[in-house]
Amino acid sequence: MEDNTKQNKVSDNKAPEVAKAAGAAPDKKFGGSSRPFSPGGAGQNFGPRKPFSRGPGGGRGFTRRDAGRAMNKPELDSKILTIRRVTRVVAGGKRFNFSVYMVVGDKKGSVGVGTVKAGDTAQAIEKAMKNAKSHMFKVKTTPEMSIPCGSDAKYCSASVVLRPTYGKGLIAGSACRDVFVLGGLKDINAKILTRSKNKINIARATVGALKKIEYLCNYTK
């Protein structure tokens, strides 16, 4: 037993010299690093690490993943107002289709509405998006993204009255609010003068009132 302990003590004393001869970094208890030198191995010491680069606001900066998300982000926002299954009776029986009514806007003053029918739901939504984009128009607004004057319009049984309310926010409901939000409009009071809750008619009446604003402004001049 005494011979074994003597051999261990001798080996411990010679450990730094053996490590130095082999090219390895000395152990921590001898005042050095604990990572040995291994060419091409996982424990190879490449020196001090560089600090992690961060963005101007203290974040991780703009990475390739963020660039991909920015490229995939759609330019227009959309919302489906109604989606219905409609039936058409023909000589051979009944044909079922899907009717989709959609509102599209860029939240910068442009908005459009579209409605189509198709045999599949996904196909109907895609066609409604294209139809709404083709019917987009620029709303005449003030620098604060409000309307310069009041307007009203009627479509079927739905009547809508619009009034500017500076500093009071958006006071609207039903399909009127969806049209205003997607168009980026603010400080508007919309009153729906109808008992009908048909969103299609209300949205078409709202679009008609917004299109009428430019004519009213030119007429008052």
Side-chain angles (χ1 to χ4, degrees), residues 135-209:
H135 288 86
M136 287 185 67
F137 66 97
K138 187 73 174 178
V139 182
K140 187 176 181 61
T141 60
T142 60
E144 293 79 13
M145 295 302 295
S146 181
I147 54 177
C149 62
S151 178
D152 59 346
K154 182 179 180 181
Y155 185 86
C156 292
S157 61
S159 299
V160 176
V161 179
L162 308 182
R163 293 289 182 269
T165 56
Y166 300 106
K168 294 185 179 181
L170 195 61
I171 306 172
S174 187
C176 295
R177 190 176 190 88
D178 297 331
V179 174
F180 296 151
V181 170
L182 292 176
L185 305 178
K186 303 175 183 178
D187 298 336
I188 300 177
N189 184 3
K191 191 171 184 180
I192 303 172
L193 302 176
T194 179
R195 294 184 178 180
S196 174
K197 296 182 180 180
N198 191 337
K199 290 187 176 182
I200 298 176
N201 294 341
I202 294 173
R204 288 194 178 276
T206 306
V207 170

Side-chain angles (χ1 to χ4, degrees), residues 25 33 37 43 50 53-54 65 67 78 84 104 127 131-132 138 145 155-156 161-162 182 185 190 196 200 207 212 218:
S33 174
F37 177 80
K50 295 181 180 180
S53 61
R54 296 184 178 273
R65 182 180 297 179
S78 61
R84 304 175 300 168
V104 174
K127 292 174 68 175
N131 188 280
K138 187 73 174 178
M145 295 302 295
Y155 185 86
C156 292
V161 179
L162 308 182
L182 292 176
L185 305 178
S196 174
I200 298 176
V207 170
K212 193 177 177 182
N218 295 335

